Amino acid sequence: MSQTASEHGIDPSQILRWKKHALDSLPGAFSPDNKSHEVKMAYERKRKALYRKIGHLTTQLTWIKTNRD
């Protein structure tokens, strides 16, 4: 652990905290009431909506640039 910490410039106690958090969270990671899938799906919906909006605004900007007189 000390070697990994020094290779990445991380305090060894931080690695211990990450390990403890991972081990504490692991049992619930596969439980049926885990909300991570719902959170991921909400994120993906939001991301897709934002990309659609970017596409729409890019199209409008291109149209404005080509049709200015």
Short mmCIF file of all heavy atoms in Angstrom, two decimals:
data_model
loop_
_atom_site.label_atom_id
_atom_site.label_comp_id
_atom_site.label_asym_id
_atom_site.label_seq_id
_atom_site.Cartn_x
_atom_site.Cartn_y
_atom_site.Cartn_z
N MET A 1 0.83 -1.18 0.00
CA MET A 1 0.00 0.00 0.00
C MET A 1 0.88 1.25 0.00
O MET A 1 0.57 2.22 -0.68
CB MET A 1 -0.93 0.00 1.20
CG MET A 1 -2.01 1.00 1.07
SD MET A 1 -3.34 0.86 2.23
CE MET A 1 -3.73 -0.85 2.24
N SER A 2 1.95 1.22 0.75
CA SER A 2 2.86 2.37 0.80
C SER A 2 3.48 2.63 -0.57
O SER A 2 3.64 3.77 -0.98
CB SER A 2 3.96 2.14 1.82
OG SER A 2 3.42 2.07 3.11
N GLN A 3 3.82 1.55 -1.27
CA GLN A 3 4.42 1.69 -2.58
C GLN A 3 3.42 2.32 -3.55
O GLN A 3 3.77 3.23 -4.30
CB GLN A 3 4.88 0.33 -3.12
CG GLN A 3 5.52 0.42 -4.49
CD GLN A 3 5.94 -0.94 -5.03
OE1 GLN A 3 5.84 -1.95 -4.34
NE2 GLN A 3 6.40 -0.95 -6.26
N THR A 4 2.20 1.85 -3.54
CA THR A 4 1.16 2.41 -4.41
C THR A 4 0.94 3.87 -4.10
O THR A 4 0.82 4.70 -5.00
CB THR A 4 -0.16 1.62 -4.25
OG1 THR A 4 0.08 0.26 -4.56
CG2 THR A 4 -1.22 2.17 -5.16
N ALA A 5 0.89 4.20 -2.82
CA ALA A 5 0.68 5.59 -2.41
C ALA A 5 1.81 6.47 -2.91
O ALA A 5 1.57 7.56 -3.44
CB ALA A 5 0.56 5.66 -0.90
N SER A 6 3.04 6.02 -2.76
CA SER A 6 4.18 6.85 -3.18
C SER A 6 4.25 6.95 -4.70
O SER A 6 4.61 8.00 -5.23
CB SER A 6 5.48 6.31 -2.62
OG SER A 6 5.77 5.03 -3.14
N GLU A 7 3.88 5.90 -5.42
CA GLU A 7 3.89 5.94 -6.89
C GLU A 7 2.90 6.96 -7.43
O GLU A 7 3.13 7.58 -8.46
CB GLU A 7 3.56 4.57 -7.46
CG GLU A 7 4.67 3.55 -7.35
CD GLU A 7 4.24 2.18 -7.83
OE1 GLU A 7 3.13 2.02 -8.34
OE2 GLU A 7 5.06 1.24 -7.69
N HIS A 8 1.81 7.14 -6.73
CA HIS A 8 0.75 8.03 -7.22
C HIS A 8 0.67 9.34 -6.44
O HIS A 8 -0.22 10.15 -6.68
CB HIS A 8 -0.60 7.31 -7.18
CG HIS A 8 -0.63 6.12 -8.08
ND1 HIS A 8 -0.75 6.23 -9.44
CD2 HIS A 8 -0.53 4.80 -7.82
CE1 HIS A 8 -0.74 5.03 -9.98
NE2 HIS A 8 -0.60 4.13 -9.01
N GLY A 9 1.59 9.54 -5.50
CA GLY A 9 1.61 10.77 -4.73
C GLY A 9 0.39 10.94 -3.84
O GLY A 9 -0.12 12.04 -3.68
N ILE A 10 -0.08 9.84 -3.27
CA ILE A 10 -1.26 9.84 -2.42
C ILE A 10 -0.84 9.45 -1.01
O ILE A 10 0.02 8.59 -0.83
CB ILE A 10 -2.31 8.84 -2.95
CG1 ILE A 10 -2.70 9.18 -4.37
CG2 ILE A 10 -3.53 8.80 -2.06
CD1 ILE A 10 -3.52 8.11 -5.05
N ASP A 11 -1.47 10.05 -0.04
CA ASP A 11 -1.20 9.68 1.35
C ASP A 11 -1.75 8.27 1.60
O ASP A 11 -2.87 7.97 1.20
CB ASP A 11 -1.87 10.69 2.28
CG ASP A 11 -1.43 10.48 3.71
OD1 ASP A 11 -0.28 10.83 4.03
OD2 ASP A 11 -2.26 9.96 4.49
N PRO A 12 -0.97 7.39 2.25
CA PRO A 12 -1.45 6.03 2.50
C PRO A 12 -2.77 5.98 3.28
O PRO A 12 -3.58 5.08 3.07
CB PRO A 12 -0.32 5.38 3.31
CG PRO A 12 0.89 6.17 2.97
CD PRO A 12 0.42 7.56 2.68
N SER A 13 -2.99 6.95 4.15
CA SER A 13 -4.25 6.95 4.91
C SER A 13 -5.45 7.18 3.98
O SER A 13 -6.56 6.71 4.24
CB SER A 13 -4.23 7.99 6.01
OG SER A 13 -4.10 9.29 5.48
N GLN A 14 -5.24 7.92 2.88
CA GLN A 14 -6.32 8.13 1.91
C GLN A 14 -6.69 6.81 1.24
O GLN A 14 -7.87 6.51 1.06
CB GLN A 14 -5.91 9.15 0.85
CG GLN A 14 -6.99 9.43 -0.19
CD GLN A 14 -8.23 10.06 0.42
OE1 GLN A 14 -8.14 10.98 1.21
NE2 GLN A 14 -9.39 9.56 0.07
N ILE A 15 -5.70 6.01 0.91
CA ILE A 15 -5.97 4.70 0.31
C ILE A 15 -6.74 3.83 1.30
O ILE A 15 -7.69 3.13 0.91
CB ILE A 15 -4.66 4.01 -0.13
CG1 ILE A 15 -4.03 4.82 -1.27
CG2 ILE A 15 -4.92 2.57 -0.57
CD1 ILE A 15 -2.70 4.30 -1.75
N LEU A 16 -6.38 3.88 2.56
CA LEU A 16 -7.11 3.11 3.57
C LEU A 16 -8.57 3.56 3.67
O LEU A 16 -9.47 2.74 3.80
CB LEU A 16 -6.42 3.24 4.93
CG LEU A 16 -5.10 2.50 5.08
CD1 LEU A 16 -4.44 2.85 6.40
CD2 LEU A 16 -5.32 1.00 4.95
N ARG A 17 -8.81 4.87 3.59
CA ARG A 17 -10.19 5.38 3.63
C ARG A 17 -10.98 4.90 2.41
O ARG A 17 -12.14 4.51 2.51
CB ARG A 17 -10.20 6.91 3.72
CG ARG A 17 -9.85 7.42 5.10
CD ARG A 17 -10.14 8.91 5.26
NE ARG A 17 -9.34 9.74 4.37
CZ ARG A 17 -8.14 10.22 4.68
NH1 ARG A 17 -7.59 9.95 5.84
NH2 ARG A 17 -7.48 10.99 3.82
N TRP A 18 -10.34 4.96 1.22
CA TRP A 18 -11.01 4.49 0.01
C TRP A 18 -11.34 3.00 0.11
O TRP A 18 -12.42 2.56 -0.27
CB TRP A 18 -10.14 4.73 -1.22
CG TRP A 18 -10.04 6.16 -1.64
CD1 TRP A 18 -10.91 7.18 -1.35
CD2 TRP A 18 -9.02 6.74 -2.43
NE1 TRP A 18 -10.48 8.35 -1.93
CE2 TRP A 18 -9.32 8.11 -2.60
CE3 TRP A 18 -7.86 6.25 -3.02
CZ2 TRP A 18 -8.51 8.97 -3.32
CZ3 TRP A 18 -7.06 7.11 -3.75
CH2 TRP A 18 -7.39 8.46 -3.90
N LYS A 19 -10.39 2.23 0.63
CA LYS A 19 -10.60 0.79 0.78
C LYS A 19 -11.76 0.52 1.73
O LYS A 19 -12.63 -0.31 1.44
CB LYS A 19 -9.32 0.12 1.29
CG LYS A 19 -9.46 -1.37 1.48
CD LYS A 19 -8.17 -1.96 2.01
CE LYS A 19 -8.34 -3.44 2.31
NZ LYS A 19 -7.13 -4.02 2.89
N LYS A 20 -11.77 1.21 2.87
CA LYS A 20 -12.85 1.02 3.84
C LYS A 20 -14.19 1.39 3.22
O LYS A 20 -15.18 0.66 3.38
CB LYS A 20 -12.59 1.85 5.10
CG LYS A 20 -13.67 1.67 6.16
CD LYS A 20 -13.41 2.49 7.38
CE LYS A 20 -14.44 2.34 8.46
NZ LYS A 20 -15.75 1.92 8.15
N HIS A 21 -14.23 2.51 2.52
CA HIS A 21 -15.48 2.93 1.88
C HIS A 21 -15.95 1.88 0.86
O HIS A 21 -17.13 1.53 0.81
CB HIS A 21 -15.29 4.28 1.19
CG HIS A 21 -16.50 4.75 0.46
ND1 HIS A 21 -17.64 5.20 1.11
CD2 HIS A 21 -16.78 4.82 -0.86
CE1 HIS A 21 -18.55 5.53 0.21
NE2 HIS A 21 -18.04 5.31 -0.98
N ALA A 22 -15.01 1.36 0.06
CA ALA A 22 -15.36 0.35 -0.94
C ALA A 22 -15.89 -0.92 -0.27
O ALA A 22 -16.91 -1.47 -0.70
CB ALA A 22 -14.15 0.02 -1.80
N LEU A 23 -15.22 -1.37 0.77
CA LEU A 23 -15.65 -2.59 1.44
C LEU A 23 -16.99 -2.40 2.16
O LEU A 23 -17.82 -3.31 2.20
CB LEU A 23 -14.58 -3.06 2.43
CG LEU A 23 -13.30 -3.58 1.79
CD1 LEU A 23 -12.26 -3.89 2.86
CD2 LEU A 23 -13.57 -4.79 0.91
N ASP A 24 -17.22 -1.21 2.71
CA ASP A 24 -18.49 -0.93 3.37
C ASP A 24 -19.64 -0.84 2.37
O ASP A 24 -20.77 -1.21 2.66
CB ASP A 24 -18.42 0.37 4.17
CG ASP A 24 -17.54 0.26 5.40
OD1 ASP A 24 -17.19 -0.88 5.78
OD2 ASP A 24 -17.18 1.32 5.96
N SER A 25 -19.36 -0.34 1.18
CA SER A 25 -20.39 -0.13 0.16
C SER A 25 -20.67 -1.37 -0.68
O SER A 25 -21.73 -1.49 -1.28
CB SER A 25 -19.98 1.00 -0.77
OG SER A 25 -19.78 2.18 -0.06
N LEU A 26 -19.71 -2.27 -0.72
CA LEU A 26 -19.82 -3.44 -1.60
C LEU A 26 -21.05 -4.30 -1.36
O LEU A 26 -21.72 -4.67 -2.33
CB LEU A 26 -18.55 -4.29 -1.50
CG LEU A 26 -18.37 -5.35 -2.57
CD1 LEU A 26 -18.35 -4.72 -3.95
CD2 LEU A 26 -17.09 -6.11 -2.34
N PRO A 27 -21.43 -4.63 -0.14
CA PRO A 27 -22.60 -5.50 0.04
C PRO A 27 -23.89 -4.91 -0.56
O PRO A 27 -24.71 -5.63 -1.10
CB PRO A 27 -22.73 -5.62 1.56
CG PRO A 27 -21.36 -5.38 2.07
CD PRO A 27 -20.77 -4.36 1.13
N GLY A 28 -24.06 -3.61 -0.50
CA GLY A 28 -25.27 -3.00 -1.04
C GLY A 28 -25.22 -2.74 -2.53
O GLY A 28 -26.22 -2.39 -3.13
N ALA A 29 -24.06 -2.94 -3.12
CA ALA A 29 -23.90 -2.63 -4.54
C ALA A 29 -24.77 -3.52 -5.43
O ALA A 29 -25.17 -3.11 -6.51
CB ALA A 29 -22.44 -2.76 -4.94
N PHE A 30 -25.06 -4.72 -4.98
CA PHE A 30 -25.81 -5.66 -5.81
C PHE A 30 -27.20 -5.96 -5.25
O PHE A 30 -27.88 -6.86 -5.72
CB PHE A 30 -25.02 -6.96 -5.96
CG PHE A 30 -23.67 -6.74 -6.57
CD1 PHE A 30 -22.53 -6.73 -5.79
CD2 PHE A 30 -23.55 -6.50 -7.93
CE1 PHE A 30 -21.28 -6.51 -6.35
CE2 PHE A 30 -22.30 -6.27 -8.51
CZ PHE A 30 -21.17 -6.28 -7.71
N SER A 31 -27.62 -5.18 -4.27
CA SER A 31 -28.94 -5.42 -3.69
C SER A 31 -30.03 -4.88 -4.62
O SER A 31 -29.80 -3.95 -5.38
CB SER A 31 -29.04 -4.77 -2.32
OG SER A 31 -29.02 -3.37 -2.43
N PRO A 32 -31.22 -5.47 -4.57
CA PRO A 32 -32.30 -5.04 -5.46
C PRO A 32 -32.74 -3.60 -5.24
O PRO A 32 -33.23 -2.96 -6.16
CB PRO A 32 -33.46 -5.99 -5.14
CG PRO A 32 -32.91 -7.04 -4.27
CD PRO A 32 -31.59 -6.58 -3.74
N ASP A 33 -32.54 -3.06 -4.06
CA ASP A 33 -32.97 -1.69 -3.81
C ASP A 33 -31.88 -0.67 -4.11
O ASP A 33 -32.00 0.49 -3.77
CB ASP A 33 -33.46 -1.52 -2.37
CG ASP A 33 -32.36 -1.83 -1.35
OD1 ASP A 33 -31.37 -2.47 -1.73
OD2 ASP A 33 -32.52 -1.42 -0.19
N ASN A 34 -30.83 -1.11 -4.80
CA ASN A 34 -29.73 -0.22 -5.16
C ASN A 34 -30.23 0.81 -6.16
O ASN A 34 -30.81 0.48 -7.18
CB ASN A 34 -28.57 -1.03 -5.75
CG ASN A 34 -27.36 -0.19 -6.00
OD1 ASN A 34 -27.36 1.01 -5.75
ND2 ASN A 34 -26.33 -0.80 -6.53
N LYS A 35 -30.01 2.07 -5.89
CA LYS A 35 -30.49 3.17 -6.73
C LYS A 35 -29.49 3.59 -7.80
O LYS A 35 -29.77 4.49 -8.58
CB LYS A 35 -30.83 4.38 -5.86
CG LYS A 35 -31.85 4.11 -4.79
CD LYS A 35 -33.20 3.88 -5.39
CE LYS A 35 -34.22 3.70 -4.27
NZ LYS A 35 -35.44 3.14 -4.72
N SER A 36 -28.33 2.95 -7.87
CA SER A 36 -27.30 3.40 -8.80
C SER A 36 -27.76 3.28 -10.25
O SER A 36 -27.43 4.12 -11.08
CB SER A 36 -26.00 2.64 -8.59
OG SER A 36 -26.14 1.28 -8.92
N HIS A 37 -28.54 2.25 -10.57
CA HIS A 37 -29.03 2.09 -11.94
C HIS A 37 -29.98 3.23 -12.30
O HIS A 37 -29.88 3.80 -13.39
CB HIS A 37 -29.74 0.74 -12.10
CG HIS A 37 -30.28 0.53 -13.48
ND1 HIS A 37 -29.46 0.31 -14.56
CD2 HIS A 37 -31.55 0.52 -13.96
CE1 HIS A 37 -30.21 0.18 -15.64
NE2 HIS A 37 -31.47 0.31 -15.30
N GLU A 38 -30.85 3.59 -11.37
CA GLU A 38 -31.78 4.69 -11.62
C GLU A 38 -31.03 6.01 -11.79
O GLU A 38 -31.37 6.82 -12.66
CB GLU A 38 -32.78 4.81 -10.48
CG GLU A 38 -33.74 3.63 -10.39
CD GLU A 38 -34.60 3.69 -9.15
OE1 GLU A 38 -34.79 4.80 -8.62
OE2 GLU A 38 -35.07 2.64 -8.73
N VAL A 39 -30.02 6.22 -10.97
CA VAL A 39 -29.23 7.45 -11.07
C VAL A 39 -28.51 7.50 -12.41
O VAL A 39 -28.48 8.53 -13.08
CB VAL A 39 -28.22 7.54 -9.90
CG1 VAL A 39 -27.23 8.66 -10.10
CG2 VAL A 39 -28.96 7.69 -8.58
N LYS A 40 -27.96 6.36 -12.83
CA LYS A 40 -27.26 6.30 -14.11
C LYS A 40 -28.22 6.57 -15.27
O LYS A 40 -27.88 7.32 -16.20
CB LYS A 40 -26.59 4.94 -14.29
CG LYS A 40 -25.78 4.84 -15.55
CD LYS A 40 -25.09 3.50 -15.68
CE LYS A 40 -24.30 3.43 -16.97
NZ LYS A 40 -23.67 2.15 -17.16
N MET A 41 -29.40 6.02 -15.22
CA MET A 41 -30.38 6.23 -16.29
C MET A 41 -30.82 7.69 -16.33
O MET A 41 -30.96 8.27 -17.42
CB MET A 41 -31.59 5.31 -16.11
CG MET A 41 -31.26 3.83 -16.25
SD MET A 41 -30.41 3.39 -17.78
CE MET A 41 -31.69 3.77 -18.95
N ALA A 42 -31.01 8.31 -15.18
CA ALA A 42 -31.37 9.74 -15.14
C ALA A 42 -30.25 10.59 -15.72
O ALA A 42 -30.50 11.54 -16.48
CB ALA A 42 -31.68 10.16 -13.71
N TYR A 43 -29.02 10.23 -15.40
CA TYR A 43 -27.87 10.94 -15.95
C TYR A 43 -27.84 10.81 -17.47
O TYR A 43 -27.62 11.79 -18.18
CB TYR A 43 -26.58 10.38 -15.34
CG TYR A 43 -25.33 10.84 -16.04
CD1 TYR A 43 -24.80 12.09 -15.79
CD2 TYR A 43 -24.69 10.02 -16.96
CE1 TYR A 43 -23.65 12.52 -16.43
CE2 TYR A 43 -23.55 10.44 -17.61
CZ TYR A 43 -23.04 11.69 -17.35
OH TYR A 43 -21.91 12.11 -18.00
N GLU A 44 -28.05 9.61 -17.98
CA GLU A 44 -28.03 9.39 -19.43
C GLU A 44 -29.14 10.17 -20.13
O GLU A 44 -28.93 10.73 -21.20
CB GLU A 44 -28.14 7.90 -19.76
CG GLU A 44 -26.88 7.12 -19.48
CD GLU A 44 -25.69 7.60 -20.30
OE1 GLU A 44 -25.87 7.88 -21.51
OE2 GLU A 44 -24.60 7.71 -19.74
N ARG A 45 -30.33 10.21 -19.53
CA ARG A 45 -31.43 10.99 -20.12
C ARG A 45 -31.07 12.46 -20.19
O ARG A 45 -31.30 13.13 -21.20
CB ARG A 45 -32.72 10.78 -19.32
CG ARG A 45 -33.41 9.46 -19.57
CD ARG A 45 -34.81 9.44 -18.97
NE ARG A 45 -34.82 9.64 -17.53
CZ ARG A 45 -34.67 8.67 -16.63
NH1 ARG A 45 -34.52 7.42 -17.03
NH2 ARG A 45 -34.70 8.94 -15.34
N LYS A 46 -30.50 12.98 -19.11
CA LYS A 46 -30.11 14.39 -19.07
C LYS A 46 -29.02 14.68 -20.10
O LYS A 46 -29.06 15.69 -20.80
CB LYS A 46 -29.64 14.74 -17.65
CG LYS A 46 -29.24 16.17 -17.47
CD LYS A 46 -30.45 17.07 -17.52
CE LYS A 46 -30.06 18.48 -17.11
NZ LYS A 46 -31.16 19.40 -17.22
N ARG A 47 -28.05 13.78 -20.18
CA ARG A 47 -26.95 13.94 -21.13
C ARG A 47 -27.47 13.98 -22.57
O ARG A 47 -27.09 14.83 -23.36
CB ARG A 47 -25.92 12.82 -20.96
CG ARG A 47 -24.65 13.01 -21.77
CD ARG A 47 -23.67 11.88 -21.53
NE ARG A 47 -24.13 10.62 -22.04
CZ ARG A 47 -24.00 10.23 -23.32
NH1 ARG A 47 -23.43 11.01 -24.19
NH2 ARG A 47 -24.44 9.06 -23.69
N LYS A 48 -28.37 13.06 -22.89
CA LYS A 48 -28.93 13.02 -24.24
C LYS A 48 -29.72 14.28 -24.55
O LYS A 48 -29.65 14.82 -25.66
CB LYS A 48 -29.80 11.78 -24.42
CG LYS A 48 -29.00 10.50 -24.52
CD LYS A 48 -29.89 9.29 -24.66
CE LYS A 48 -29.06 8.02 -24.70
NZ LYS A 48 -29.91 6.83 -24.82
N ALA A 49 -30.47 14.76 -23.58
CA ALA A 49 -31.24 16.00 -23.77
C ALA A 49 -30.31 17.18 -24.01
O ALA A 49 -30.58 18.03 -24.89
CB ALA A 49 -32.14 16.26 -22.56
N LEU A 50 -29.22 17.23 -23.28
CA LEU A 50 -28.27 18.33 -23.46
C LEU A 50 -27.59 18.25 -24.83
O LEU A 50 -27.39 19.28 -25.49
CB LEU A 50 -27.23 18.32 -22.34
CG LEU A 50 -27.76 18.73 -20.97
CD1 LEU A 50 -26.71 18.49 -19.89
CD2 LEU A 50 -28.22 20.18 -20.97
N TYR A 51 -27.25 17.05 -25.27
CA TYR A 51 -26.65 16.91 -26.60
C TYR A 51 -27.64 17.30 -27.70
O TYR A 51 -27.27 17.90 -28.70
CB TYR A 51 -26.11 15.49 -26.83
CG TYR A 51 -24.71 15.32 -26.32
CD1 TYR A 51 -24.45 14.59 -25.17
CD2 TYR A 51 -23.63 15.91 -26.98
CE1 TYR A 51 -23.16 14.44 -24.70
CE2 TYR A 51 -22.34 15.76 -26.52
CZ TYR A 51 -22.11 15.03 -25.38
OH TYR A 51 -20.82 14.88 -24.91
N ARG A 52 -28.93 16.97 -27.51
CA ARG A 52 -29.94 17.40 -28.48
C ARG A 52 -30.01 18.91 -28.53
O ARG A 52 -30.09 19.51 -29.60
CB ARG A 52 -31.31 16.82 -28.11
CG ARG A 52 -31.54 15.41 -28.58
CD ARG A 52 -33.02 15.02 -28.49
NE ARG A 52 -33.57 15.17 -27.16
CZ ARG A 52 -33.51 14.26 -26.19
NH1 ARG A 52 -32.92 13.11 -26.42
NH2 ARG A 52 -34.03 14.49 -25.00
N LYS A 53 -29.98 19.55 -27.36
CA LYS A 53 -30.03 21.01 -27.29
C LYS A 53 -28.80 21.62 -27.96
O LYS A 53 -28.92 22.60 -28.70
CB LYS A 53 -30.13 21.45 -25.83
CG LYS A 53 -30.29 22.92 -25.65
CD LYS A 53 -31.64 23.37 -26.17
CE LYS A 53 -31.89 24.82 -25.83
NZ LYS A 53 -33.15 25.32 -26.34
N ILE A 54 -27.64 21.05 -27.72
CA ILE A 54 -26.42 21.54 -28.37
C ILE A 54 -26.54 21.43 -29.88
O ILE A 54 -26.19 22.36 -30.62
CB ILE A 54 -25.17 20.77 -27.87
CG1 ILE A 54 -24.88 21.13 -26.42
CG2 ILE A 54 -23.96 21.04 -28.75
CD1 ILE A 54 -23.84 20.24 -25.75
N GLY A 55 -27.05 20.30 -30.36
CA GLY A 55 -27.24 20.12 -31.80
C GLY A 55 -28.20 21.15 -32.37
O GLY A 55 -27.96 21.73 -33.43
N HIS A 56 -29.29 21.39 -31.67
CA HIS A 56 -30.28 22.37 -32.12
C HIS A 56 -29.66 23.77 -32.18
O HIS A 56 -29.82 24.50 -33.17
CB HIS A 56 -31.48 22.35 -31.17
CG HIS A 56 -32.52 23.35 -31.49
ND1 HIS A 56 -33.36 23.23 -32.58
CD2 HIS A 56 -32.86 24.52 -30.88
CE1 HIS A 56 -34.17 24.26 -32.62
NE2 HIS A 56 -33.89 25.07 -31.59
N LEU A 57 -28.95 24.16 -31.13
CA LEU A 57 -28.34 25.49 -31.10
C LEU A 57 -27.23 25.63 -32.14
O LEU A 57 -27.08 26.70 -32.75
CB LEU A 57 -27.79 25.78 -29.70
CG LEU A 57 -28.85 25.93 -28.61
CD1 LEU A 57 -28.19 26.03 -27.23
CD2 LEU A 57 -29.74 27.13 -28.86
N THR A 58 -26.48 24.56 -32.38
CA THR A 58 -25.44 24.59 -33.40
C THR A 58 -26.06 24.79 -34.78
O THR A 58 -25.55 25.57 -35.59
CB THR A 58 -24.61 23.30 -33.36
OG1 THR A 58 -24.04 23.15 -32.06
CG2 THR A 58 -23.51 23.30 -34.40
N THR A 59 -27.16 24.09 -35.03
CA THR A 59 -27.86 24.24 -36.30
C THR A 59 -28.37 25.66 -36.47
O THR A 59 -28.22 26.26 -37.55
CB THR A 59 -29.03 23.24 -36.39
OG1 THR A 59 -28.52 21.92 -36.23
CG2 THR A 59 -29.76 23.35 -37.71
N GLN A 60 -28.94 26.22 -35.42
CA GLN A 60 -29.43 27.60 -35.51
C GLN A 60 -28.29 28.57 -35.77
O GLN A 60 -28.42 29.47 -36.59
CB GLN A 60 -30.14 27.99 -34.20
CG GLN A 60 -31.50 27.40 -34.05
CD GLN A 60 -32.16 27.88 -32.75
OE1 GLN A 60 -31.49 28.25 -31.80
NE2 GLN A 60 -33.48 27.86 -32.76
N LEU A 61 -27.18 28.40 -35.07
CA LEU A 61 -26.05 29.28 -35.25
C LEU A 61 -25.50 29.19 -36.67
O LEU A 61 -25.19 30.21 -37.30
CB LEU A 61 -24.95 28.95 -34.24
CG LEU A 61 -23.70 29.82 -34.27
CD1 LEU A 61 -24.06 31.28 -33.98
CD2 LEU A 61 -22.68 29.32 -33.26
N THR A 62 -25.39 27.99 -37.20
CA THR A 62 -24.92 27.80 -38.56
C THR A 62 -25.85 28.48 -39.55
O THR A 62 -25.41 29.16 -40.48
CB THR A 62 -24.80 26.29 -38.88
OG1 THR A 62 -23.92 25.69 -37.95
CG2 THR A 62 -24.28 26.07 -40.29
N TRP A 63 -27.15 28.34 -39.36
CA TRP A 63 -28.12 28.97 -40.24
C TRP A 63 -27.99 30.49 -40.19
O TRP A 63 -28.01 31.16 -41.22
CB TRP A 63 -29.54 28.55 -39.85
CG TRP A 63 -30.57 29.06 -40.81
CD1 TRP A 63 -30.98 28.45 -41.95
CD2 TRP A 63 -31.30 30.29 -40.71
NE1 TRP A 63 -31.92 29.22 -42.57
CE2 TRP A 63 -32.13 30.36 -41.84
CE3 TRP A 63 -31.31 31.33 -39.79
CZ2 TRP A 63 -32.98 31.44 -42.07
CZ3 TRP A 63 -32.15 32.40 -40.01
CH2 TRP A 63 -32.98 32.44 -41.14
N ILE A 64 -27.84 31.02 -38.99
CA ILE A 64 -27.71 32.49 -38.84
C ILE A 64 -26.44 32.97 -39.53
O ILE A 64 -26.46 33.99 -40.24
CB ILE A 64 -27.70 32.87 -37.34
CG1 ILE A 64 -29.10 32.67 -36.75
CG2 ILE A 64 -27.23 34.30 -37.15
CD1 ILE A 64 -29.15 32.78 -35.24
N LYS A 65 -25.34 32.24 -39.37
CA LYS A 65 -24.07 32.66 -39.99
C LYS A 65 -24.15 32.61 -41.50
O LYS A 65 -23.57 33.47 -42.17
CB LYS A 65 -22.93 31.77 -39.51
CG LYS A 65 -22.47 32.04 -38.10
CD LYS A 65 -21.32 31.12 -37.72
CE LYS A 65 -20.79 31.42 -36.34
NZ LYS A 65 -19.70 30.52 -35.97
N THR A 66 -24.85 31.64 -42.06
CA THR A 66 -24.90 31.51 -43.51
C THR A 66 -25.96 32.41 -44.15
O THR A 66 -25.92 32.67 -45.34
CB THR A 66 -25.17 30.06 -43.94
OG1 THR A 66 -26.39 29.61 -43.36
CG2 THR A 66 -24.04 29.15 -43.53
N ASN A 67 -26.92 32.90 -43.38
CA ASN A 67 -28.00 33.70 -43.94
C ASN A 67 -27.93 35.17 -43.54
O ASN A 67 -28.91 35.89 -43.69
CB ASN A 67 -29.35 33.12 -43.52
CG ASN A 67 -29.58 31.78 -44.20
OD1 ASN A 67 -29.45 31.66 -45.40
ND2 ASN A 67 -29.88 30.77 -43.40
N ARG A 68 -26.81 35.62 -43.02
CA ARG A 68 -26.73 37.06 -42.72
C ARG A 68 -26.43 37.80 -44.02
O ARG A 68 -25.60 37.42 -44.79
CB ARG A 68 -25.60 37.46 -41.80
CG ARG A 68 -25.14 36.71 -40.80
CD ARG A 68 -24.01 37.39 -40.05
NE ARG A 68 -22.97 36.39 -39.96
CZ ARG A 68 -21.86 36.54 -39.36
NH1 ARG A 68 -21.56 37.69 -38.83
NH2 ARG A 68 -21.00 35.59 -39.29
N ASP A 69 -27.09 38.86 -44.16
CA ASP A 69 -26.85 39.69 -45.35
C ASP A 69 -26.66 41.13 -44.97
O ASP A 69 -27.11 41.69 -44.08
CB ASP A 69 -28.02 39.59 -46.34
CG ASP A 69 -28.06 38.22 -47.00
OD1 ASP A 69 -27.00 37.77 -47.44
OD2 ASP A 69 -29.15 37.63 -47.06
#
